[in-house]
Amino acid sequence: MVNTTNGPTDDAGAAEIRAGRERWQRRYDTARKREADFTSLSGRTLEPLYGPRPGAEVPGFERIGWPGEYPYTRGLYPTGYRGRAWTIRQFAGFGNARQTNERYKMILASGGGGLSVAFDMPTLMGYDSDSPMSLGEVGHCGVAIDSAADMELLFDDIPLGKTTTSMTVSGPAVPVFCMYLVAAERQGTDISTLDGTLQTDIFKEYIAQKEWLYPPEPQLRLIGDLMEYCAENIPAYKPLSVSGYHIREAGATAAQELAYTLADGFGYVELGLSRGLDVNQFAPGLSFFFDAHIDFFEEIAKFRAARRIWARWMRDVYGATEERAQWLRFHTQTAGVSLTAQQPYNNVVRTSVEALSAILGGTNSLHTNALDETLALPTEQSAEIALRTQQVLMEETGVVNVADPLGGSWYLEALTDELEAEAERIFTHIRHLGGGDGVEHPIGPMTSGILAGIDNGYFSSEIAESAFQYQQALEKGDKKIVGVNCHTSTVSGELDILKISHEVEHEQKRVLSDRRGRRDAAAVDRTLARLLEGTRDPEANLVPLIIEAARAEATLGEICAAMGEEFGTYTEVPQF
């Protein structure tokens, strides 16, 4: 059933396969299942799992295995989506906090299962809306958040104790998170009960997205502080979502996205271990964020290989013994770079195919892009179509009826093996980068290699080369994009797109000025002084100090600038 050219060739005999099936059946029988009709459209009874026939001997079957069992190639749960379907988590944010709050309420009322916050560029770069660096950018690619008061408005009438929230921000992730905690406190929520995900992944910023605040070492200190704080105070919250999405969007191949993302994850595991944290306790707080691109089977194979690689490394390299510490849980977003401005209604088809690949790959939550996102932020209508795309897939197609329905496909299993093998070769190279001078970073060997690869331009140059090769293939016509380099005639007209008024920026500045005038300026100054003092003490955890500043209504720009006095700035070494 599987090509084992690129991996182990252990055969699974009939007895081993029968025993594995029995183990799976016991776990399935005791697991919770949804109340749903698990039959085909024509009424055919469907088994929850399909696998080798009784008595079969399957070469390499141990690499495929059973759902809910190491190495988790076929998924983390024995029930697949029969137990729990993926979370519909639509990414949204624009204008000011009040406008985005209204969009969130629309998403939740329409059946969305969780929220994902998109921030504007000034927020992502740690600037206040009234900074000269923010001119013309306030509210345009996401929501403007200047202080804890904005975070309160963002989640007005949305109980944070009952809503899982993801926040896509890395450079200033810790101050933004502290404002979220303050907003939860002001709602009367016990912050220890909060559940959600903070992106925080700074490695991918240096590798691909280029939105950092400080040099790598201070950013790693902040991440370590956050991991410690959440482990002790907010056990269900996931303080780190390791992001491959932005790496892929920058032009990486599927194998590069897989390898660079998991390498980053290993670096954060080494960071946690260097802080003395128990891998079995902090590793379940790590999650992942992948791109679902347009090559259907390659994407499914990528997701399956990711689970298998992560489980093996967590067990064999980092010593995780608990199942949950070996699990790779991931959110997926359909590929923004696959969307076209030409014939934009074709983007609905692209998004549907990409979403289906994520589902068949076993994603835990999913965002589907809107058809107009290559032109502007989504309108309410296009946002609803994107949401309905997931709901049609979930409610009408039958993809939730069977765990890993494509498992055992000769093509898919060969792709999974090939991607895994290529990723392993990249891991070896990254680790070699870090030990090239004979001195590894004290955090760990993968961290050492990542930092060296950032410093010498390895990641940037490899991604740039992959992007260049793909662009050449498009220009030669070897690769096709419908509406762009083939089938270009069309009858469709222009779209009505969402336009963010410049009044949003003027109003945000006015409100911010008013808040500055009404707050206790002396209290703000005291909290910022304590924060600066904390940055100079390598033993201090900065999270409680940032929370104090957020409670006093210190702004994001003020908090980031206070830490920047000690941490300094970072300038990338030019590579081209």
Side-chain angles (χ1 to χ4, degrees):
M1 294 288 288
V2 58
N3 178 346
T4 58
T5 303
N6 296 299
T9 57
D10 295 339
D11 290 358
E16 288 86 353
I17 288 176
R18 183 171 59 252
R21 178 72 187 222
E22 290 171 354
R23 283 195 310 273
W24 170 83
Q25 189 69 58
R26 288 193 296 270
R27 298 186 74 173
Y28 178 82
D29 289 343
T30 58
R32 181 181 299 177
K33 272 79 75 176
R34 292 183 296 115
E35 291 292 332
D37 175 17
F38 297 118
T39 63
S40 72
L41 189 62
S42 52
R44 188 182 311 278
T45 299
L46 299 173
E47 296 295 328
L49 177 69
Y50 291 84
R53 292 190 181 97
E57 295 189 8
V58 182
F61 186 74
E62 291 304 313
R63 296 168 58 74
I64 303 172
W66 305 95
E69 185 172 293
Y70 182 92
Y72 308 108
T73 310
R74 303 195 70 184
L76 303 179
Y77 308 106
T79 54
Y81 292 133
R82 284 198 180 199
R84 177 182 176 184
W86 68 92
T87 299
I88 297 175
R89 190 181 299 282
Q90 289 300 96
F91 187 46
F94 66 95
N96 60 34
R98 180 63 67 191
Q99 291 170 311
T100 300
N101 173 263
E102 292 169 1
R103 177 66 63 87
Y104 287 165
K105 289 174 180 174
M106 182 273 285
I107 290 171
L108 293 172
S110 299
L115 299 175
S116 184
V117 186
F119 297 97
D120 70 358
M121 187 58 68
T123 303
L124 293 173
M125 299 303 297
Y127 296 126
D128 291 333
S129 294
D130 58 1
S131 167
M133 298 295 291
S134 303
L135 185 63
E137 294 291 341
V138 175
H140 279 267
C141 71
V143 63
I145 297 294
D146 289 314
S147 72
D150 282 321
M151 200 66 85
E152 276 189 276
L153 285 172
L154 186 65
F155 295 109
D156 186 39
D157 291 329
I158 299 173
L160 292 176
K162 299 178 180 179
T163 306
T164 61
T165 303
S166 170
M167 292 186 285
T168 303
V169 57
S170 293
V174 177
V176 168
F177 176 68
C178 291
M179 292 176 183
Y180 167 79
L181 296 184
V182 172
E185 288 177 346
R186 292 173 181 175
Q187 284 188 355
T189 300
D190 178 356
I191 66 167
S192 68
T193 66
L194 292 174
D195 191 4
T197 305
L198 188 68
Q199 189 168 96
T200 318
D201 177 7
I202 201 63
F203 283 145
K204 62 92 176 173
E205 297 295 344
Y206 301 113
I207 290 172
Q209 197 172 25
K210 314 301 182 182
E211 293 168 2
W212 57 72
L213 271 62
Y214 314 119
E217 296 288 354
Q219 293 273 191
L220 286 175
R221 175 187 172 180
L222 283 167
I223 294 170
D225 287 353
L226 181 66
M227 291 171 70
E228 286 185 358
Y229 185 86
C230 288
E232 184 174 343
N233 298 284
I234 318 175
Y237 198 87
K238 299 162 190 65
L240 242 170
S241 175
V242 189
S243 178
Y245 187 85
H246 309 89
I247 293 170
R248 189 66 178 278
E249 295 283 292
T253 65
Q256 288 170 332
E257 178 195 359
L258 173 65
Y260 298 167
T261 307
L262 294 188
D264 289 352
F266 298 143
Y268 295 126
V269 171
E270 292 175 353
L271 175 62
L273 292 171
S274 75
R275 290 292 188 106
L277 299 177
D278 181 347
V279 68
N280 287 313
Q281 293 184 4
F282 78 78
L286 302 177
S287 65
F288 288 79
F289 174 23
F290 287 110
D291 197 298
H293 220 301
I294 196 65
D295 192 317
F296 186 69
F297 286 100
E298 185 174 61
E299 293 303 290
I300 299 169
K302 178 186 73 181
F303 300 132
R304 299 169 88 249
R307 275 194 301 271
R308 188 158 74 199
I309 294 167
W310 185 256
R312 185 176 65 253
W313 275 67
M314 291 304 294
R315 186 189 71 175
D316 297 346
V317 178
Y318 297 114
T321 56
E322 299 291 333
E323 274 196 343
R324 290 174 62 84
Q326 298 170 5
W327 286 358
L328 183 143
R329 284 167 292 199
F330 67 98
H331 171 74
T332 313
Q333 181 173 338
T334 56
V337 292
S338 72
L339 304 179
T340 64
Q342 302 92 325
Q343 301 181 21
Y345 290 104
N346 296 345
N347 294 332
V348 177
V349 182
R350 295 185 179 102
T351 294
S352 300
V353 170
E354 292 164 358
L356 185 57
S357 74
I359 294 161
L360 292 173
T363 193
N364 301 102
S365 62
L366 178 62
H367 166 88
T368 33
N369 288 330
L371 66 95
D372 51 359
E373 285 193 59
T374 191
L375 300 167
L377 293 170
T379 63
E380 283 199 10
Q381 181 182 33
S382 66
E384 182 180 76
I385 293 170
L387 174 63
R388 296 290 182 242
T389 298
Q390 292 203 51
Q391 291 167 331
V392 168
L393 291 170
M394 183 181 290
E395 305 293 350
E396 299 184 28
T397 64
V399 294
V400 296
N401 290 340
V402 176
D404 190 33
L406 296 182
S409 155
W410 292 330
Y411 177 40
L412 182 63
E413 300 300 350
L415 279 176
T416 303
D417 285 349
E418 289 167 9
L419 282 167
E420 179 182 16
E422 189 170 350
E424 289 289 348
R425 288 193 292 270
I426 294 173
F427 297 151
T428 299
H429 183 73
I430 293 172
R431 286 166 65 108
H432 176 74
L433 289 176
D437 58 1
V439 179
E440 289 182 350
H441 193 280
I443 289 178
M446 191 65 81
T447 306
S448 184
I450 293 166
L451 293 173
I454 291 167
D455 187 56
N456 67 22
Y458 162 73
F459 296 106
S460 297
S461 61
E462 290 293 303
I463 292 171
E465 179 62 26
S466 296
F468 176 66
Q469 290 179 6
Y470 179 64
Q471 184 62 33
Q472 280 190 314
L474 288 177
E475 292 175 5
K476 292 175 181 177
D478 296 337
K479 298 292 184 184
K480 309 289 187 185
I481 298 178
V482 173
V484 177
N485 66 351
C486 65
H487 310 296
T488 54
S489 61
T490 182
V491 296
S492 62
E494 291 188 3
L495 288 174
D496 290 329
I497 62 174
L498 178 66
K499 296 180 180 178
I500 306 299
S501 169
H502 288 297
E503 286 303 313
V504 169
E505 183 167 332
H506 299 321
E507 176 65 10
Q508 188 73 11
K509 288 180 178 180
R510 186 196 65 77
V511 170
L512 179 56
S513 177
D514 183 60
R515 286 180 192 153
R516 289 188 201 273
R518 288 187 289 108
R519 69 188 182 177
D520 184 339
V524 171
D525 290 343
R526 286 194 299 271
T527 61
L528 293 176
R530 284 196 290 269
L531 176 58
L532 176 57
E533 186 178 325
T535 63
R536 293 167 176 163
D537 177 3
E539 300 301 316
N541 188 306
L542 299 181
V543 175
L545 297 172
I546 299 172
I547 293 173
E548 280 187 19
R551 287 184 183 131
E553 283 298 315
T555 67
L556 179 63
E558 291 167 343
I559 292 170
C560 292
M563 292 189 289
E565 285 189 42
E566 177 65 20
F567 291 158
T569 58
Y570 176 74
T571 301
E572 186 176 35
V573 178
Q575 299 297 325
F576 305 102

Short mmCIF file of all heavy atoms in Angstrom, two decimals, residues 19 63 74 76 101 204-205 267 272 342 358 380 387 402 439 480 488 494 520 526 532 534 542-543 545 569:
data_model
loop_
_atom_site.label_atom_id
_atom_site.label_comp_id
_atom_site.label_asym_id
_atom_site.label_seq_id
_atom_site.Cartn_x
_atom_site.Cartn_y
_atom_site.Cartn_z
N ALA A 19 -3.86 -6.78 15.62
CA ALA A 19 -3.75 -6.23 16.98
C ALA A 19 -3.94 -4.72 16.98
O ALA A 19 -4.60 -4.16 17.87
CB ALA A 19 -2.39 -6.59 17.58
N ARG A 63 4.33 3.10 9.48
CA ARG A 63 4.45 4.54 9.22
C ARG A 63 3.09 5.18 8.95
O ARG A 63 2.96 6.40 8.99
CB ARG A 63 5.38 4.76 8.03
CG ARG A 63 6.80 4.30 8.29
CD ARG A 63 7.64 4.27 7.03
NE ARG A 63 7.71 5.57 6.37
CZ ARG A 63 8.44 6.59 6.80
NH1 ARG A 63 9.12 6.48 7.93
NH2 ARG A 63 8.47 7.72 6.12
N ARG A 74 -2.32 9.37 10.65
CA ARG A 74 -3.73 9.37 10.26
C ARG A 74 -4.59 10.24 11.18
O ARG A 74 -5.82 10.19 11.10
CB ARG A 74 -4.27 7.94 10.21
CG ARG A 74 -3.50 7.04 9.27
CD ARG A 74 -4.24 5.77 8.96
NE ARG A 74 -5.42 6.02 8.13
CZ ARG A 74 -6.30 5.08 7.77
NH1 ARG A 74 -6.14 3.83 8.19
NH2 ARG A 74 -7.33 5.39 7.02
N LEU A 76 -4.90 12.65 15.17
CA LEU A 76 -4.66 12.59 16.61
C LEU A 76 -5.71 11.80 17.36
O LEU A 76 -5.47 11.35 18.48
CB LEU A 76 -4.60 14.01 17.19
CG LEU A 76 -3.57 14.97 16.58
CD1 LEU A 76 -3.67 16.33 17.25
CD2 LEU A 76 -2.16 14.40 16.71
N ASN A 101 -15.53 44.44 16.15
CA ASN A 101 -16.44 43.77 17.08
C ASN A 101 -17.76 43.42 16.40
O ASN A 101 -18.30 42.31 16.59
CB ASN A 101 -16.68 44.68 18.29
CG ASN A 101 -17.74 44.15 19.24
OD1 ASN A 101 -18.90 44.54 19.17
ND2 ASN A 101 -17.33 43.28 20.15
N LYS A 204 9.73 33.01 12.37
CA LYS A 204 9.20 33.17 11.01
C LYS A 204 9.20 34.62 10.57
O LYS A 204 9.16 34.90 9.37
CB LYS A 204 7.81 32.54 10.89
CG LYS A 204 6.73 33.16 11.77
CD LYS A 204 5.95 34.25 11.11
CE LYS A 204 4.84 34.73 12.05
NZ LYS A 204 4.14 35.92 11.54
N GLU A 205 9.27 35.54 11.51
CA GLU A 205 9.38 36.95 11.12
C GLU A 205 10.75 37.22 10.50
O GLU A 205 10.85 37.84 9.45
CB GLU A 205 9.16 37.86 12.33
CG GLU A 205 7.79 37.77 12.96
CD GLU A 205 6.67 38.24 12.04
OE1 GLU A 205 6.96 38.91 11.03
OE2 GLU A 205 5.51 37.91 12.34
N GLY A 267 13.01 24.61 17.90
CA GLY A 267 13.73 25.68 18.59
C GLY A 267 12.98 26.16 19.83
O GLY A 267 13.60 26.40 20.88
N GLY A 272 11.92 26.17 25.83
CA GLY A 272 11.20 25.75 27.04
C GLY A 272 12.05 24.88 27.94
O GLY A 272 12.06 25.06 29.17
N GLN A 342 -7.41 38.89 -11.21
CA GLN A 342 -8.11 38.58 -12.44
C GLN A 342 -9.18 37.50 -12.16
O GLN A 342 -8.91 36.53 -11.45
CB GLN A 342 -7.14 38.06 -13.51
CG GLN A 342 -6.01 39.02 -13.85
CD GLN A 342 -4.77 38.77 -13.03
OE1 GLN A 342 -4.86 38.41 -11.85
NE2 GLN A 342 -3.61 38.98 -13.62
N ALA A 358 -6.98 20.73 3.53
CA ALA A 358 -6.70 20.87 4.96
C ALA A 358 -7.55 19.92 5.79
O ALA A 358 -7.07 19.30 6.75
CB ALA A 358 -6.96 22.31 5.39
N GLU A 380 -18.75 42.14 3.83
CA GLU A 380 -19.58 41.21 4.61
C GLU A 380 -20.06 40.06 3.74
O GLU A 380 -20.12 38.91 4.18
CB GLU A 380 -20.77 41.95 5.23
CG GLU A 380 -20.39 42.77 6.45
CD GLU A 380 -21.61 43.10 7.31
OE1 GLU A 380 -22.69 42.53 7.08
OE2 GLU A 380 -21.47 43.93 8.22
N LEU A 387 -17.18 31.80 4.87
CA LEU A 387 -17.68 31.01 6.00
C LEU A 387 -18.55 29.86 5.50
O LEU A 387 -18.42 28.71 5.94
CB LEU A 387 -18.47 31.91 6.94
CG LEU A 387 -19.20 31.25 8.11
CD1 LEU A 387 -18.20 30.59 9.06
CD2 LEU A 387 -20.05 32.27 8.86
N VAL A 402 -15.56 9.67 7.96
CA VAL A 402 -14.54 8.63 8.04
C VAL A 402 -13.21 9.25 8.43
O VAL A 402 -12.84 10.30 7.90
CB VAL A 402 -14.41 7.90 6.68
CG1 VAL A 402 -13.28 6.88 6.74
CG2 VAL A 402 -15.72 7.23 6.29
N VAL A 439 30.59 26.01 18.06
CA VAL A 439 29.95 26.54 19.27
C VAL A 439 28.45 26.63 19.02
O VAL A 439 28.01 27.34 18.11
CB VAL A 439 30.50 27.94 19.64
CG1 VAL A 439 29.79 28.46 20.89
CG2 VAL A 439 32.00 27.87 19.86
N LYS A 480 0.16 26.72 -14.75
CA LYS A 480 -0.99 27.47 -15.22
C LYS A 480 -1.76 28.08 -14.05
O LYS A 480 -1.91 27.45 -12.99
CB LYS A 480 -1.95 26.56 -15.99
CG LYS A 480 -1.31 25.74 -17.10
CD LYS A 480 -0.90 26.60 -18.27
CE LYS A 480 -0.43 25.73 -19.44
NZ LYS A 480 0.08 26.54 -20.56
N THR A 488 -8.09 33.41 -20.28
CA THR A 488 -8.11 34.78 -19.75
C THR A 488 -9.35 35.58 -20.15
O THR A 488 -9.59 36.64 -19.57
CB THR A 488 -6.86 35.55 -20.21
OG1 THR A 488 -6.78 35.47 -21.64
CG2 THR A 488 -5.61 34.95 -19.59
N GLU A 494 -16.28 44.32 -12.47
CA GLU A 494 -15.52 44.68 -11.28
C GLU A 494 -16.31 44.37 -10.01
O GLU A 494 -17.54 44.42 -9.99
CB GLU A 494 -15.16 46.17 -11.31
CG GLU A 494 -14.15 46.54 -12.38
CD GLU A 494 -13.68 47.98 -12.25
OE1 GLU A 494 -14.12 48.65 -11.27
OE2 GLU A 494 -12.89 48.41 -13.09
N ASP A 520 -4.09 58.28 34.40
CA ASP A 520 -3.16 58.74 35.45
C ASP A 520 -1.74 58.67 34.87
O ASP A 520 -1.11 57.61 34.86
CB ASP A 520 -3.31 57.85 36.68
CG ASP A 520 -2.45 58.31 37.86
OD1 ASP A 520 -1.47 59.05 37.64
OD2 ASP A 520 -2.75 57.90 39.00
N ARG A 526 5.29 55.29 36.15
CA ARG A 526 5.85 54.35 37.14
C ARG A 526 5.91 52.93 36.57
O ARG A 526 6.90 52.22 36.74
CB ARG A 526 5.03 54.37 38.43
CG ARG A 526 5.23 55.61 39.29
CD ARG A 526 4.66 55.41 40.69
NE ARG A 526 3.21 55.16 40.66
CZ ARG A 526 2.29 56.12 40.69
NH1 ARG A 526 2.65 57.40 40.75
NH2 ARG A 526 1.01 55.81 40.68
N LEU A 532 11.17 48.97 32.33
CA LEU A 532 12.54 49.18 31.85
C LEU A 532 13.54 48.56 32.82
O LEU A 532 14.52 47.91 32.40
CB LEU A 532 12.81 50.67 31.68
CG LEU A 532 14.24 51.04 31.27
CD1 LEU A 532 14.65 50.37 29.97
CD2 LEU A 532 14.38 52.57 31.16
N GLY A 534 12.99 46.04 34.71
CA GLY A 534 12.89 44.59 34.56
C GLY A 534 13.66 44.08 33.36
O GLY A 534 14.26 43.00 33.41
N LEU A 542 9.02 39.36 32.49
CA LEU A 542 8.48 40.66 32.10
C LEU A 542 6.97 40.69 31.96
O LEU A 542 6.38 41.77 31.91
CB LEU A 542 9.13 41.12 30.79
CG LEU A 542 10.65 41.30 30.83
CD1 LEU A 542 11.15 41.77 29.47
CD2 LEU A 542 11.05 42.28 31.92
N VAL A 543 6.32 39.53 31.91
CA VAL A 543 4.87 39.51 31.65
C VAL A 543 4.09 40.25 32.75
O VAL A 543 3.26 41.12 32.44
CB VAL A 543 4.37 38.08 31.46
CG1 VAL A 543 2.84 38.06 31.33
CG2 VAL A 543 5.00 37.45 30.22
N LEU A 545 5.01 42.63 34.63
CA LEU A 545 5.31 44.07 34.53
C LEU A 545 4.58 44.70 33.35
O LEU A 545 4.11 45.85 33.44
CB LEU A 545 6.83 44.26 34.37
CG LEU A 545 7.69 43.78 35.53
CD1 LEU A 545 9.17 43.85 35.17
CD2 LEU A 545 7.40 44.60 36.79
N THR A 569 17.33 47.67 18.56
CA THR A 569 16.62 47.36 17.33
C THR A 569 17.42 46.35 16.51
O THR A 569 18.59 46.07 16.81
CB THR A 569 16.39 48.62 16.49
OG1 THR A 569 17.66 49.22 16.19
CG2 THR A 569 15.51 49.61 17.23
#
